[in-house]
Amino acid sequence: MNEASSILWYKQEAANWFEALPIGNGRFGGMVYGGAGRERIALNEDTLWSGEPKDTNRYDAQRYLSSVREMIFAKRYEEAEETIEQHMEGQEIASYLPLAELELIFDDQSDISEYRRELDLDNGVVRVQYLSKGARCTREIFISAVDQVMAIRLHSDNKTSFTAVLNSPLQYSVSKTDSNRIKLSGRCPYHVLPNTVKSTDPVTYVEGRGISFELQLQAAIEKGRVEVSGGRIRVSGSGTIVLLLSAATSYKGYDHDPAVRGNDPSRLCEAWLAQAERLGYDRLKERHLHDYRALFGRTLLELGGSEDKNRIPTDERILRVKDGEDDPGLAALLFQFGKYLLMSSSRPGTQPANLQGIWNDKTQPPWCSSWTANINVQMNYWPAEVSNLAECHQPLFDLIEGLRITGRKVASIHYGCRGWTAHHNIDVWRTATPVDGSPSWAFWPMAGAWLCQHLWEHYAYSQDTEFLRQAYPAMKEAALFCLDWLVEAPDGLLVTCPSTSPENVFVTEDGQQSSVTYAATMDMALIRNLFGHCMEASRLLQRDRAFHDQLEEILKRLPPFRIGKYGQLQEWNEDYEELEPGHRHIAHLVAFHPLDLITLDEHPELAEACRATLERRLDHGGAHTGWSCAWTVSFWARLGEAGKAYRFLNDLLSGLHPNMMNAHRHPKVKMNIFQIDGNFAGMSGITEMLLQSHGGKVRLLPALPPKWRQGSVKGIRARGGFEIDLEWVEGQLIRALIRSTAGKKCHLVASHPVQVLYEGKIIHPDSEDSLHITFETTAGSCYEVVPFPGGERKVRD
């Protein structure tokens, strides 16, 4: 791969946060501005949140459940919604907070020329270089996941003098700790109001409460002086200068009071800096590159025709796509950048990637920068398995384990149910209760059912039965909640009630506007999916036969998918009108993607209803937010509509912030917002265009856009335990390699006739034609797929 095709680069320093370049090691992150006279790096740490562990359960909520269900079945929807909002919801969640800012204020940087700022995705390094008065100045910045420090290397041909300053938007103090080191110590607010709540005093501190934090900054120079005075480091000299920065908080877990039983951030910072100092910059970088490349290098995507485009700054490429120019290389760069963002915001042992990954500059971030579990946190992890970054999925599994504990109390206290549940907003304290607000989004007790899909996905891609054995209890307990949450409707079917379709509102024939009804299609899809996976896990693990049989019987009593008056897949059990036909959420199509309860092959009528739903949403202005646009790419890819998938991918690309981070565009929101879900869902959409493996079949190039005339992808994964390389020319597959990691049977679907070879010999597959081939595999073996020579074989009607 051309090295330039994995670089974001710019001809000017960042003017604002949305132009700065992200760095991170999963836990510790920064946004690098790259200023010549004044460098700024906005800093974050993934456990820096407001609040402390507390009981947010509403102990009287269950008293209203029966009456609300009666109202709903009596079609008194507005009354039911009002009752839920007044009596069955809880408190706001905590907020993810900005940590601090490092500033390097240079004495004399003038006559700047040949400026370049770049993010090297292949190596996980940000670089800045320019001439100042004819002298070459360079900076190199990375954050090591191995050694848990930020390392900054500065070099100039002439003498360099600057002052390093630490500050924070939170309560803090800065002091000297050594002749070349300073520290910033602070404490988080006890409470921060969500940004949607208007208040003159939104941030509250309480003495001796909340998470404490610390940063330590150390400087070393080849030739010159380092002085510390007044909480600042003064550096003056020539040659190479190295700054090392560590950061930590007192957070020790969702169930530990961080002010009483927390970690000691000072000791952590000191230990990391001591280790980094012993290693030295070169060794730190070597260890960083070894760790980083081992993950990032597993996959590679090339879409061709990018050589000339790579000479254009990234922000200009985005603008050109907005003006209608084709740039397949920018789509490949989005894929590569998505891998980088996932690795930088989610590593084993860290918190999961939140709404903004780990990068946030606001004390009142949009939507608290939470884990929003009615779609957004799931989107963050859609590409984890397919892009061969399964380790980065682990923080989400850890979140699920915490929610099992907090969510059991919610299931019991709020609803009188077994098992565990969670709602749409989750914070670092594993808050599982519904928050205060409109039930259209606040009341949605289906997060457990959807989060468990990720446990299954990890098994589906790896075929690791030992992992499934560990994951099964969480899946079973989520299913137990769903079993108890189901009630009998007037027609005798079992339904969820109350039920919402995030975050939409319907209109009844008598004029009621409500979000609360029963058996929203998304609910029923998630329950069908969870029950089916629990049953399969039961068979694979040879356990819980009675539970398996119970689920099998219950599935027969769930309402079917229904087609409405517009030919659309119904969003609710009844064919209501939508208040917003172009709503950003298309929640009921979860059955089509990312799930596979509806597939184009097996359920053509329902798939066409999904198409009609999508077309109706889009005809009324849907997919206007970044994440919604990104999801639409995958919908069209599953429908085999390559051109339409490509169009919405280009819409996503043209709406990116200059630093390629996804912009949350919404007609009602005027502020600039970054949401990382659009980056990850866009990355996932690209893989759906190139490879699909749902429904038990591996589909090669199922929605390849005509504009991607030639290209290749290496190392992506398919469900069933396969790792795949693809290469195509003029829109047709010329070669694929399928590496079997689990020795399972492969059901292959190609768009053109192919044959399968093993060790150069043709396999005689169990298949009817050369478009649909089934063959046995051996773990560790590699199978080659090539075009069928001399024309087509017999193809089934």
Side-chain angles (χ1 to χ4, degrees), residues 503 580 582-586 617 622-625 627-628 664 666:
E503 301 170 7
E580 293 182 68
H583 198 270
R584 62 195 176 278
H585 281 261
I586 320 178
R617 274 288 203 273
H624 46 262
T625 60
W627 64 263
S628 184
H664 180 84
H666 191 290

Side-chain angles (χ1 to χ4, degrees), residues 555-616:
L555 279 171
K556 297 173 184 177
R557 297 187 59 192
L558 301 184
F561 294 114
R562 293 187 171 100
I563 298 174
K565 54 182 170 288
Y566 299 109
Q568 88 287 10
L569 188 73
Q570 280 186 202
E571 186 163 359
W572 296 276
N573 195 57
E574 297 187 34
D575 197 9
Y576 306 119
E577 291 289 342
E578 303 142 299
L579 182 65
E580 293 182 68
H583 198 270
R584 62 195 176 278
H585 281 261
I586 320 178
H588 46 314
L589 292 198
V590 68
F592 188 60
H593 178 277
L595 311 183
D596 59 0
L597 299 175
I598 298 173
T599 66
L600 199 58
D601 294 339
E602 303 297 327
H603 318 93
E605 188 177 359
L606 288 173
E608 284 305 306
C610 292
R611 181 194 301 273
T613 298
L614 190 56
E615 290 173 341
R616 178 170 163 77

Side-chain angles (χ1 to χ4, degrees), residues 77 186 210 280 350 405 411 422 500 592 605 610 681 756 780 789:
Y77 304 116
T350 74
I405 306 300
T500 61
F592 188 60
E605 188 177 359
C610 292
V756 180

Side-chain angles (χ1 to χ4, degrees), residues 162-175:
F162 66 88
T163 301
V165 181
L166 288 172
N167 59 72
S168 174
L170 308 180
Q171 288 186 352
Y172 75 97
S173 63
V174 182
S175 60

Side-chain angles (χ1 to χ4, degrees), residues 271-446:
W272 287 326
L273 275 189
Q275 167 76 353
E277 187 178 24
R278 283 193 297 270
L279 290 168
Y281 182 84
D282 290 341
R283 182 70 175 129
L284 278 173
K285 184 179 177 183
E286 180 184 335
R287 286 159 61 88
H288 161 71
L289 292 177
H290 179 76
D291 165 76
Y292 179 88
R293 289 169 175 168
L295 288 174
F296 190 82
R298 288 177 183 167
T299 56
L300 179 64
L301 174 63
E302 291 184 311
L303 294 177
S306 299
E307 290 74 15
D308 292 338
K309 303 286 187 182
N310 293 334
R311 301 188 185 100
I312 302 169
T314 304
D315 50 347
E316 293 182 24
R317 292 176 73 175
I318 293 170
L319 291 175
R320 291 187 181 198
V321 171
K322 189 173 184 178
D323 289 338
E325 194 171 299
D326 287 312
D327 189 349
L330 192 63
L333 191 62
L334 182 74
F335 176 85
Q336 299 290 91
F337 187 48
K339 291 193 303 179
Y340 172 82
L341 291 176
L342 186 58
M343 290 171 54
S344 300
S345 62
S346 185
R347 291 284 199 109
T350 74
Q351 299 298 309
N354 63 43
L355 272 176
Q356 300 182 142
I358 52 172
W359 301 280
N360 166 45
D361 65 332
K362 296 178 177 63
T363 307
Q364 281 185 284
W367 301 287
C368 302
S369 205
S370 68
W371 293 290
T372 308
N374 64 8
I375 186 168
N376 310 93
V377 72
Q378 288 88 351
M379 275 189 165
N380 287 359
Y381 289 93
W382 285 353
E385 300 291 338
V386 68
S387 68
N388 219 331
L389 292 175
E391 297 94 330
C392 296
H393 217 162
Q394 185 61 48
L396 187 67
F397 305 154
D398 296 339
L399 178 77
I400 291 170
E401 282 302 303
L403 289 171
R404 280 180 69 198
I405 306 300
T406 58
R408 284 176 191 149
K409 290 184 67 176
V410 179
S412 176
I413 292 168
H414 278 244
Y415 308 121
C417 295
R418 297 170 295 168
W420 69 277
T421 189
H423 293 73
H424 105 293
N425 263 2
I426 299 163
D427 60 20
V428 78
W429 309 112
R430 306 311 189 240
T431 300
T433 45
V435 296
D436 183 33
S438 166
S440 67
W441 45 267
F443 193 88
W444 189 73
M446 301 305 299

Side-chain angles (χ1 to χ4, degrees), residues 43 72 93 138 267 381 435 480 576 641 709 736 739 758:
L43 302 167
I72 291 170
I93 60 168
T138 63
R267 290 182 61 184
Y381 289 93
V435 296
L480 286 172
Y576 306 119
E641 295 276 7
R709 295 176 59 189
R739 290 176 288 277
Y758 176 63

